[in-house]
Amino acid sequence: MSPLPEAELVRSSVQLYRYLLRCCRRLPPGPVREHYRHAIRQSFKVHADEDDPVRIQQIIKRAIEDADWVMNK
């Protein structure tokens, strides 16, 4: 099960970014939420120059799996 029902609709990096920020809104307010928001932003900065479509899809799949793990812990 995905953290939010829209996970299967994520196809682009912008959609992923919005999806992950929506997941963060479901976390309790405070340092944990801010940590994950910061981590999402930093990850997008690191991968901003990625242009291989296969690699981008791998990153999207992994990010959704990681979000699922965070939301379930």
Side-chain angles (χ1 to χ4, degrees):
M1 181 179 132
S2 298
L4 291 176
E6 305 93 36
E8 61 275 357
L9 302 176
V10 174
R11 299 282 181 253
S12 70
S13 56
V14 173
Q15 290 173 331
L16 177 64
Y17 186 74
R18 294 182 72 209
Y19 172 79
L20 293 174
L21 290 179
R22 276 189 244 112
C23 286
C24 278
R25 286 189 217 142
R26 295 178 57 197
L27 295 172
V32 172
R33 182 187 291 182
E34 292 307 313
H35 167 76
Y36 284 109
R37 284 175 51 101
H38 178 74
I40 290 165
R41 288 184 181 127
Q42 291 303 314
S43 183
F44 272 82
K45 289 178 185 177
V46 167
H47 295 292
D49 61 345
E50 188 67 57
D51 59 357
D52 178 17
V54 173
R55 177 69 179 132
I56 292 170
Q57 290 306 310
Q58 289 172 342
I59 293 169
I60 289 171
K61 182 178 182 289
R62 179 61 193 256
I64 292 171
E65 290 171 358
D66 290 348
D68 188 31
W69 181 83
V70 168
M71 299 304 291
N72 288 326
K73 79 174 197 177

